[in-house]
Amino acid sequence: MATIIAPSILSADFAHLADEIKKVTDAGAEYVHVDVMDGTFVPEITIGAGVVKSLRKVTDAVLDVHLMVEHPETQLESFAQAGADIITFHVEATRHPHRVIQKIHELGCKAGVALNPGTSLSAVEELIEEADMILIMTVNPGYGGQKFIESMLGKIHMLYHMIEEMETECDIEVDGGINAQTSVDVREAGANILVAGSAVYGAADVAQAIKNIRGKEIFHHHHEDDDE
Ligand code: DX5
Ligand code: ZN
């Protein structure tokens, strides 16, 4: 599966979002990752549906909306109407994740389910069949520029095998501390959508940074009775 790069505009200049998005999509980024924070699920407040609506008018890129909010079920309609392509919510933020996925699909969007580093894969096992994407947080959500948590590699790999065993299709997105170095490890573990904020927007040459994060294509072999 080819790697998809999703620059996070959290590290962009909020006064020039249209230009900041053009910069990364011109450089080959397929998705634009929008971090929505509510000041409760995570400490900061960032972007709401109004901003997404404006961004929709200036880009054809896939708008990958990451909801770091409590009660995500109350926000789905506004973000779908604003033009989100993918809506990802945290499994920790709702009692009814399965229903939230259904609602996102009814609204015509792809559905992603995010897990904090401290949340076990068992929280999403029953959702994989229904979801389009599982987002493994590789830092604790809330801020850009944090250090990649190494122990998440095993989790990514386990998820990759889980999906393979279920013979279903489900993207694996990773978010937090992704750069040219950690990219190799997460892709080897099975991630195919890479979010990167500071490593993209903090670079002098954004196009080169995206190229470095994308790296060389990794081919996964299917292991039948291999229990590594
Ligand atoms: C963290 C956000 C991330 C953030 C990643 O809460 O969900 O999308 O922008 O930033 P970096 O790539 O700098 O770790
Ligand atoms: Zn994010």
Side-chain angles (χ1 to χ4, degrees):
M1 230 188 299
T3 301
I4 288 170
I5 306 294
S8 161
I9 56 169
L10 185 63
S11 292
D13 180 354
F14 276 23
H16 302 98
L17 282 179
D19 296 339
E20 293 280 72
I21 286 174
K22 189 170 185 307
K23 203 156 60 170
V24 296
T25 53
D26 281 356
E30 293 87 351
Y31 288 7
V32 171
H33 186 82
V34 182
D35 286 305
V36 177
M37 305 187 185
D38 68 349
T40 303
F41 184 75
V42 289
E44 303 291 330
I45 295 176
T46 55
I47 288 168
V51 174
V52 172
K53 194 174 172 191
S54 295
L55 297 182
R56 183 71 290 169
K57 293 178 189 151
V58 300
T59 185
D60 293 325
V62 172
L63 290 179
D64 175 29
V65 173
H66 177 195
L67 297 179
M68 284 162 275
V69 306
E70 298 285 0
H71 310 297
E73 53 281 347
T74 64
Q75 300 300 322
L76 307 176
E77 230 174 285
S78 349
F79 281 95
Q81 279 170 8
D85 296 293
I86 305 170
I87 300 179
T88 297
F89 64 96
H90 272 264
V91 72
E92 302 87 359
T94 178
R95 288 206 177 95
H96 298 289
H98 192 279
R99 183 183 289 152
V100 175
I101 296 172
Q102 290 177 322
K103 184 86 192 290
I104 294 171
H105 285 156
E106 278 166 28
L107 291 164
C109 299
K110 282 192 173 185
V113 184
L115 281 95
N116 283 334
T119 305
S120 162
L121 279 180
S122 63
V124 294
E125 209 173 336
E126 276 71 24
L127 305 173
I128 290 171
E129 204 83 60
E130 202 78 18
D132 300 287
M133 174 171 102
I134 303 293
L135 166 53
I136 302 286
M137 290 304 301
T138 42
V139 299
N140 283 293
Y143 304 95
Q146 301 181 83
K147 194 179 174 293
F148 180 80
I149 302 171
E150 290 286 335
S151 57
M152 292 300 109
L153 289 172
K155 194 178 183 180
I156 297 163
H157 198 64
M158 246 158 74
L159 175 61
Y160 181 83
H161 276 286
M162 229 181 223
I163 294 168
E164 250 199 353
E165 247 158 58
M166 291 170 80
E167 292 177 14
T168 185
E169 280 197 9
C170 186
D171 288 318
I172 302 179
E173 184 173 59
V174 288
D175 184 5
I178 303 299
N179 54 37
Q181 285 75 47
T182 53
S183 156
V184 180
D185 300 333
V186 294
R187 287 182 294 120
E188 255 165 23
N192 68 307
I193 305 176
L194 274 54
V195 177
S198 50
V200 170
Y201 283 106
D205 184 344
V206 163
Q208 189 59 49
I210 289 174
K211 212 175 147 205
N212 291 347
I213 295 165
R214 193 185 298 281
K216 289 197 200 76
E217 195 168 345
I218 287 168
F219 295 95
H220 292 276
H221 57 274
H222 291 258
H223 1 220
E224 297 293 310
D225 352 73
D226 172 357
D227 57 344
E228 55 184 295

PDB file of all heavy atoms in Angstrom, residues 5 18 23 25 33 36-38 47 57 68 77 88-89 99 116 129 138 140 146-147 165 172-173 177 196 215 223 225:
ATOM      1  N   ILE A   5       0.778  10.963   2.917  1.00  0.00           N
ATOM      2  CA  ILE A   5       1.305  11.940   3.873  1.00  0.00           C
ATOM      3  C   ILE A   5       0.225  12.976   4.192  1.00  0.00           C
ATOM      4  O   ILE A   5      -0.401  13.546   3.296  1.00  0.00           O
ATOM      5  CB  ILE A   5       2.566  12.654   3.318  1.00  0.00           C
ATOM      6  CG1 ILE A   5       3.633  11.634   2.888  1.00  0.00           C
ATOM      7  CG2 ILE A   5       3.127  13.635   4.358  1.00  0.00           C
ATOM      8  CD1 ILE A   5       4.241  10.813   4.008  1.00  0.00           C
ATOM      9  N   ALA A  18      -4.490  29.214   3.945  1.00  0.00           N
ATOM     10  CA  ALA A  18      -4.638  28.859   2.526  1.00  0.00           C
ATOM     11  C   ALA A  18      -3.267  28.645   1.885  1.00  0.00           C
ATOM     12  O   ALA A  18      -3.043  27.638   1.202  1.00  0.00           O
ATOM     13  CB  ALA A  18      -5.419  29.932   1.779  1.00  0.00           C
ATOM     14  N   LYS A  23       1.148  25.083   0.023  1.00  0.00           N
ATOM     15  CA  LYS A  23       2.554  24.719   0.112  1.00  0.00           C
ATOM     16  C   LYS A  23       2.728  23.193   0.208  1.00  0.00           C
ATOM     17  O   LYS A  23       3.552  22.620  -0.486  1.00  0.00           O
ATOM     18  CB  LYS A  23       3.137  25.396   1.367  1.00  0.00           C
ATOM     19  CG  LYS A  23       4.609  25.597   1.363  1.00  0.00           C
ATOM     20  CD  LYS A  23       5.149  26.716   2.247  1.00  0.00           C
ATOM     21  CE  LYS A  23       4.914  26.662   3.710  1.00  0.00           C
ATOM     22  NZ  LYS A  23       5.649  27.646   4.503  1.00  0.00           N
ATOM     23  N   THR A  25       0.342  20.736  -0.392  1.00  0.00           N
ATOM     24  CA  THR A  25      -0.309  19.950  -1.452  1.00  0.00           C
ATOM     25  C   THR A  25       0.482  20.085  -2.759  1.00  0.00           C
ATOM     26  O   THR A  25       0.615  19.120  -3.505  1.00  0.00           O
ATOM     27  CB  THR A  25      -1.789  20.343  -1.635  1.00  0.00           C
ATOM     28  OG1 THR A  25      -1.898  21.753  -1.828  1.00  0.00           O
ATOM     29  CG2 THR A  25      -2.604  19.951  -0.418  1.00  0.00           C
ATOM     30  N   HIS A  33      -4.297  17.361   7.383  1.00  0.00           N
ATOM     31  CA  HIS A  33      -4.749  16.902   8.694  1.00  0.00           C
ATOM     32  C   HIS A  33      -5.137  18.106   9.556  1.00  0.00           C
ATOM     33  O   HIS A  33      -4.338  19.017   9.769  1.00  0.00           O
ATOM     34  CB  HIS A  33      -3.620  16.107   9.362  1.00  0.00           C
ATOM     35  CG  HIS A  33      -3.983  15.456  10.651  1.00  0.00           C
ATOM     36  ND1 HIS A  33      -4.650  14.251  10.728  1.00  0.00           N
ATOM     37  CD2 HIS A  33      -3.759  15.835  11.942  1.00  0.00           C
ATOM     38  CE1 HIS A  33      -4.812  13.917  12.003  1.00  0.00           C
ATOM     39  NE2 HIS A  33      -4.286  14.860  12.766  1.00  0.00           N
ATOM     40  N   VAL A  36      -8.657  19.261  15.645  1.00  0.00           N
ATOM     41  CA  VAL A  36      -9.727  19.977  16.336  1.00  0.00           C
ATOM     42  C   VAL A  36      -9.649  19.666  17.828  1.00  0.00           C
ATOM     43  O   VAL A  36      -9.777  18.503  18.226  1.00  0.00           O
ATOM     44  CB  VAL A  36     -11.102  19.558  15.772  1.00  0.00           C
ATOM     45  CG1 VAL A  36     -12.230  20.232  16.535  1.00  0.00           C
ATOM     46  CG2 VAL A  36     -11.186  19.862  14.279  1.00  0.00           C
ATOM     47  N   MET A  37      -9.398  20.679  18.636  1.00  0.00           N
ATOM     48  CA  MET A  37      -9.272  20.485  20.087  1.00  0.00           C
ATOM     49  C   MET A  37     -10.293  21.349  20.813  1.00  0.00           C
ATOM     50  O   MET A  37     -10.517  22.496  20.418  1.00  0.00           O
ATOM     51  CB  MET A  37      -7.864  20.869  20.547  1.00  0.00           C
ATOM     52  CG  MET A  37      -6.759  20.132  19.804  1.00  0.00           C
ATOM     53  SD  MET A  37      -5.134  20.482  20.517  1.00  0.00           S
ATOM     54  CE  MET A  37      -4.075  19.613  19.363  1.00  0.00           C
ATOM     55  N   ASP A  38     -10.868  20.789  21.858  1.00  0.00           N
ATOM     56  CA  ASP A  38     -12.000  21.466  22.512  1.00  0.00           C
ATOM     57  C   ASP A  38     -11.682  22.066  23.880  1.00  0.00           C
ATOM     58  O   ASP A  38     -12.563  22.580  24.567  1.00  0.00           O
ATOM     59  CB  ASP A  38     -13.173  20.493  22.655  1.00  0.00           C
ATOM     60  CG  ASP A  38     -12.891  19.367  23.651  1.00  0.00           C
ATOM     61  OD1 ASP A  38     -11.725  19.200  24.084  1.00  0.00           O
ATOM     62  OD2 ASP A  38     -13.843  18.639  23.997  1.00  0.00           O
ATOM     63  N   ILE A  47      -9.257  24.560  16.195  1.00  0.00           N
ATOM     64  CA  ILE A  47     -10.035  24.884  14.995  1.00  0.00           C
ATOM     65  C   ILE A  47     -11.447  24.318  15.087  1.00  0.00           C
ATOM     66  O   ILE A  47     -11.636  23.201  15.552  1.00  0.00           O
ATOM     67  CB  ILE A  47      -9.295  24.261  13.778  1.00  0.00           C
ATOM     68  CG1 ILE A  47      -8.016  25.049  13.484  1.00  0.00           C
ATOM     69  CG2 ILE A  47     -10.191  24.163  12.565  1.00  0.00           C
ATOM     70  CD1 ILE A  47      -7.102  24.341  12.500  1.00  0.00           C
ATOM     71  N   LYS A  57     -12.954  25.517   0.613  1.00  0.00           N
ATOM     72  CA  LYS A  57     -13.034  26.362  -0.599  1.00  0.00           C
ATOM     73  C   LYS A  57     -11.680  26.562  -1.263  1.00  0.00           C
ATOM     74  O   LYS A  57     -11.621  26.910  -2.434  1.00  0.00           O
ATOM     75  CB  LYS A  57     -13.605  27.735  -0.236  1.00  0.00           C
ATOM     76  CG  LYS A  57     -15.057  27.662   0.196  1.00  0.00           C
ATOM     77  CD  LYS A  57     -15.585  29.027   0.594  1.00  0.00           C
ATOM     78  CE  LYS A  57     -16.958  28.898   1.228  1.00  0.00           C
ATOM     79  NZ  LYS A  57     -17.219  29.973   2.204  1.00  0.00           N
ATOM     80  N   MET A  68     -10.353  15.914  18.580  1.00  0.00           N
ATOM     81  CA  MET A  68      -9.923  15.646  19.954  1.00  0.00           C
ATOM     82  C   MET A  68     -10.897  16.382  20.853  1.00  0.00           C
ATOM     83  O   MET A  68     -10.586  17.401  21.465  1.00  0.00           O
ATOM     84  CB  MET A  68      -8.471  16.125  20.150  1.00  0.00           C
ATOM     85  CG  MET A  68      -7.457  15.182  19.513  1.00  0.00           C
ATOM     86  SD  MET A  68      -5.842  15.950  19.273  1.00  0.00           S
ATOM     87  CE  MET A  68      -6.112  16.761  17.709  1.00  0.00           C
ATOM     88  N   GLU A  77     -22.196  16.431  12.358  1.00  0.00           N
ATOM     89  CA  GLU A  77     -22.930  17.083  11.280  1.00  0.00           C
ATOM     90  C   GLU A  77     -22.241  18.363  10.823  1.00  0.00           C
ATOM     91  O   GLU A  77     -22.090  18.591   9.616  1.00  0.00           O
ATOM     92  CB  GLU A  77     -24.354  17.401  11.743  1.00  0.00           C
ATOM     93  CG  GLU A  77     -25.373  16.924  10.758  1.00  0.00           C
ATOM     94  CD  GLU A  77     -26.784  17.105  11.269  1.00  0.00           C
ATOM     95  OE1 GLU A  77     -27.191  16.299  12.152  1.00  0.00           O
ATOM     96  OE2 GLU A  77     -27.451  18.049  10.808  1.00  0.00           O
ATOM     97  N   THR A  88     -12.343  11.622  12.171  1.00  0.00           N
ATOM     98  CA  THR A  88     -11.787  10.678  13.142  1.00  0.00           C
ATOM     99  C   THR A  88     -12.112  11.179  14.547  1.00  0.00           C
ATOM    100  O   THR A  88     -11.900  12.348  14.863  1.00  0.00           O
ATOM    101  CB  THR A  88     -10.255  10.563  12.964  1.00  0.00           C
ATOM    102  OG1 THR A  88      -9.988  10.032  11.658  1.00  0.00           O
ATOM    103  CG2 THR A  88      -9.641   9.649  14.013  1.00  0.00           C
ATOM    104  N   PHE A  89     -12.633  10.280  15.367  1.00  0.00           N
ATOM    105  CA  PHE A  89     -12.958  10.630  16.756  1.00  0.00           C
ATOM    106  C   PHE A  89     -12.183   9.702  17.680  1.00  0.00           C
ATOM    107  O   PHE A  89     -11.709   8.639  17.260  1.00  0.00           O
ATOM    108  CB  PHE A  89     -14.470  10.503  17.011  1.00  0.00           C
ATOM    109  CG  PHE A  89     -14.982   9.086  16.873  1.00  0.00           C
ATOM    110  CD1 PHE A  89     -15.130   8.268  17.995  1.00  0.00           C
ATOM    111  CD2 PHE A  89     -15.281   8.556  15.624  1.00  0.00           C
ATOM    112  CE1 PHE A  89     -15.579   6.949  17.873  1.00  0.00           C
ATOM    113  CE2 PHE A  89     -15.728   7.233  15.486  1.00  0.00           C
ATOM    114  CZ  PHE A  89     -15.874   6.440  16.606  1.00  0.00           C
ATOM    115  N   ARG A  99     -21.828   3.441  16.999  1.00  0.00           N
ATOM    116  CA  ARG A  99     -22.882   4.319  16.487  1.00  0.00           C
ATOM    117  C   ARG A  99     -22.278   5.586  15.850  1.00  0.00           C
ATOM    118  O   ARG A  99     -22.796   6.076  14.850  1.00  0.00           O
ATOM    119  CB  ARG A  99     -23.836   4.715  17.620  1.00  0.00           C
ATOM    120  CG  ARG A  99     -24.992   5.563  17.147  1.00  0.00           C
ATOM    121  CD  ARG A  99     -25.881   5.994  18.293  1.00  0.00           C
ATOM    122  NE  ARG A  99     -26.636   4.888  18.829  1.00  0.00           N
ATOM    123  CZ  ARG A  99     -27.060   4.824  20.098  1.00  0.00           C
ATOM    124  NH1 ARG A  99     -26.753   5.793  20.941  1.00  0.00           N
ATOM    125  NH2 ARG A  99     -27.756   3.797  20.507  1.00  0.00           N
ATOM    126  N   ASN A 116      -5.636   6.798  22.137  1.00  0.00           N
ATOM    127  CA  ASN A 116      -4.528   7.395  22.884  1.00  0.00           C
ATOM    128  C   ASN A 116      -3.467   6.327  23.143  1.00  0.00           C
ATOM    129  O   ASN A 116      -3.774   5.129  23.143  1.00  0.00           O
ATOM    130  CB  ASN A 116      -5.037   7.933  24.225  1.00  0.00           C
ATOM    131  CG  ASN A 116      -5.784   9.240  24.060  1.00  0.00           C
ATOM    132  OD1 ASN A 116      -5.548   9.986  23.115  1.00  0.00           O
ATOM    133  ND2 ASN A 116      -6.683   9.506  24.980  1.00  0.00           N
ATOM    134  N   GLU A 129     -13.962  -3.690  11.514  1.00  0.00           N
ATOM    135  CA  GLU A 129     -14.778  -4.078  10.358  1.00  0.00           C
ATOM    136  C   GLU A 129     -15.552  -2.875   9.813  1.00  0.00           C
ATOM    137  O   GLU A 129     -15.682  -2.701   8.606  1.00  0.00           O
ATOM    138  CB  GLU A 129     -15.759  -5.168  10.803  1.00  0.00           C
ATOM    139  CG  GLU A 129     -16.250  -6.052   9.682  1.00  0.00           C
ATOM    140  CD  GLU A 129     -15.261  -7.183   9.368  1.00  0.00           C
ATOM    141  OE1 GLU A 129     -14.980  -8.000  10.269  1.00  0.00           O
ATOM    142  OE2 GLU A 129     -14.777  -7.206   8.237  1.00  0.00           O
ATOM    143  N   THR A 138       0.814   8.327  18.473  1.00  0.00           N
ATOM    144  CA  THR A 138       2.178   7.970  18.861  1.00  0.00           C
ATOM    145  C   THR A 138       2.780   9.024  19.797  1.00  0.00           C
ATOM    146  O   THR A 138       3.976   8.990  20.108  1.00  0.00           O
ATOM    147  CB  THR A 138       3.046   7.736  17.603  1.00  0.00           C
ATOM    148  OG1 THR A 138       2.746   8.748  16.632  1.00  0.00           O
ATOM    149  CG2 THR A 138       2.731   6.401  16.975  1.00  0.00           C
ATOM    150  N   ASN A 140       0.872  11.573  23.267  1.00  0.00           N
ATOM    151  CA  ASN A 140      -0.400  11.908  23.899  1.00  0.00           C
ATOM    152  C   ASN A 140      -0.938  13.168  23.211  1.00  0.00           C
ATOM    153  O   ASN A 140      -0.197  14.139  23.032  1.00  0.00           O
ATOM    154  CB  ASN A 140      -0.218  12.131  25.397  1.00  0.00           C
ATOM    155  CG  ASN A 140      -0.074  10.804  26.117  1.00  0.00           C
ATOM    156  OD1 ASN A 140      -1.014  10.019  26.189  1.00  0.00           O
ATOM    157  ND2 ASN A 140       1.119  10.519  26.602  1.00  0.00           N
ATOM    158  N   GLN A 146       5.951  16.903  20.001  1.00  0.00           N
ATOM    159  CA  GLN A 146       6.331  15.990  21.096  1.00  0.00           C
ATOM    160  C   GLN A 146       7.130  14.808  20.551  1.00  0.00           C
ATOM    161  O   GLN A 146       7.159  14.543  19.353  1.00  0.00           O
ATOM    162  CB  GLN A 146       5.083  15.464  21.801  1.00  0.00           C
ATOM    163  CG  GLN A 146       4.186  16.533  22.406  1.00  0.00           C
ATOM    164  CD  GLN A 146       2.999  15.891  23.103  1.00  0.00           C
ATOM    165  OE1 GLN A 146       3.090  15.462  24.253  1.00  0.00           O
ATOM    166  NE2 GLN A 146       1.866  15.811  22.409  1.00  0.00           N
ATOM    167  N   LYS A 147       7.734  14.096  21.502  1.00  0.00           N
ATOM    168  CA  LYS A 147       8.597  12.973  21.136  1.00  0.00           C
ATOM    169  C   LYS A 147       7.777  11.705  20.873  1.00  0.00           C
ATOM    170  O   LYS A 147       6.880  11.358  21.651  1.00  0.00           O
ATOM    171  CB  LYS A 147       9.600  12.728  22.281  1.00  0.00           C
ATOM    172  CG  LYS A 147      10.742  11.833  21.893  1.00  0.00           C
ATOM    173  CD  LYS A 147      11.726  11.658  23.069  1.00  0.00           C
ATOM    174  CE  LYS A 147      12.800  10.645  22.747  1.00  0.00           C
ATOM    175  NZ  LYS A 147      12.286   9.270  22.605  1.00  0.00           N
ATOM    176  N   GLU A 165      -5.706 -10.542   9.556  1.00  0.00           N
ATOM    177  CA  GLU A 165      -6.390 -11.766   9.949  1.00  0.00           C
ATOM    178  C   GLU A 165      -7.885 -11.676   9.706  1.00  0.00           C
ATOM    179  O   GLU A 165      -8.539 -12.659   9.392  1.00  0.00           O
ATOM    180  CB  GLU A 165      -6.136 -12.042  11.438  1.00  0.00           C
ATOM    181  CG  GLU A 165      -5.298 -13.276  11.664  1.00  0.00           C
ATOM    182  CD  GLU A 165      -4.615 -13.224  13.021  1.00  0.00           C
ATOM    183  OE1 GLU A 165      -5.317 -13.120  14.036  1.00  0.00           O
ATOM    184  OE2 GLU A 165      -3.366 -13.266  13.035  1.00  0.00           O
ATOM    185  N   ILE A 172      -4.239   2.346   8.477  1.00  0.00           N
ATOM    186  CA  ILE A 172      -3.603   2.600   9.770  1.00  0.00           C
ATOM    187  C   ILE A 172      -2.886   3.945   9.687  1.00  0.00           C
ATOM    188  O   ILE A 172      -1.919   4.101   8.941  1.00  0.00           O
ATOM    189  CB  ILE A 172      -2.602   1.494  10.156  1.00  0.00           C
ATOM    190  CG1 ILE A 172      -3.298   0.131  10.203  1.00  0.00           C
ATOM    191  CG2 ILE A 172      -1.936   1.826  11.503  1.00  0.00           C
ATOM    192  CD1 ILE A 172      -2.375  -1.033  10.566  1.00  0.00           C
ATOM    193  N   GLU A 173      -3.399   4.900  10.461  1.00  0.00           N
ATOM    194  CA  GLU A 173      -2.800   6.227  10.500  1.00  0.00           C
ATOM    195  C   GLU A 173      -2.023   6.367  11.801  1.00  0.00           C
ATOM    196  O   GLU A 173      -2.434   5.832  12.827  1.00  0.00           O
ATOM    197  CB  GLU A 173      -3.892   7.301  10.418  1.00  0.00           C
ATOM    198  CG  GLU A 173      -3.361   8.733  10.357  1.00  0.00           C
ATOM    199  CD  GLU A 173      -4.458   9.776  10.108  1.00  0.00           C
ATOM    200  OE1 GLU A 173      -5.392   9.860  10.922  1.00  0.00           O
ATOM    201  OE2 GLU A 173      -4.386  10.502   9.114  1.00  0.00           O
ATOM    202  N   GLY A 177       5.041  12.974  16.500  1.00  0.00           N
ATOM    203  CA  GLY A 177       6.471  12.687  16.487  1.00  0.00           C
ATOM    204  C   GLY A 177       6.959  11.985  15.241  1.00  0.00           C
ATOM    205  O   GLY A 177       8.012  11.348  15.244  1.00  0.00           O
ATOM    206  N   ALA A 196       2.181  14.421   9.985  1.00  0.00           N
ATOM    207  CA  ALA A 196       3.389  15.087  10.488  1.00  0.00           C
ATOM    208  C   ALA A 196       3.148  16.585  10.532  1.00  0.00           C
ATOM    209  O   ALA A 196       2.724  17.184   9.539  1.00  0.00           O
ATOM    210  CB  ALA A 196       4.582  14.762   9.606  1.00  0.00           C
ATOM    211  N   GLY A 215       9.719   8.547   2.287  1.00  0.00           N
ATOM    212  CA  GLY A 215      10.753   7.508   2.218  1.00  0.00           C
ATOM    213  C   GLY A 215      10.593   6.577   1.030  1.00  0.00           C
ATOM    214  O   GLY A 215       9.871   6.875   0.085  1.00  0.00           O
ATOM    215  N   HIS A 223       2.525 -12.987   6.187  1.00  0.00           N
ATOM    216  CA  HIS A 223       2.994 -14.175   6.882  1.00  0.00           C
ATOM    217  C   HIS A 223       1.802 -14.959   7.368  1.00  0.00           C
ATOM    218  O   HIS A 223       0.971 -14.447   8.086  1.00  0.00           O
ATOM    219  CB  HIS A 223       3.922 -13.894   8.068  1.00  0.00           C
ATOM    220  CG  HIS A 223       4.192 -12.462   8.338  1.00  0.00           C
ATOM    221  ND1 HIS A 223       5.435 -11.995   8.697  1.00  0.00           N
ATOM    222  CD2 HIS A 223       3.397 -11.378   8.339  1.00  0.00           C
ATOM    223  CE1 HIS A 223       5.369 -10.703   8.884  1.00  0.00           C
ATOM    224  NE2 HIS A 223       4.159 -10.296   8.673  1.00  0.00           N
ATOM    225  N   ASP A 225       1.705 -18.423   9.002  1.00  0.00           N
ATOM    226  CA  ASP A 225       1.757 -18.909  10.385  1.00  0.00           C
ATOM    227  C   ASP A 225       2.948 -18.341  11.123  1.00  0.00           C
ATOM    228  O   ASP A 225       3.622 -19.002  11.898  1.00  0.00           O
ATOM    229  CB  ASP A 225       1.800 -20.441  10.477  1.00  0.00           C
ATOM    230  CG  ASP A 225       1.585 -21.120   9.171  1.00  0.00           C
ATOM    231  OD1 ASP A 225       2.512 -21.092   8.311  1.00  0.00           O
ATOM    232  OD2 ASP A 225       0.492 -21.659   9.010  1.00  0.00           O
TER     233      ASP A 225
END
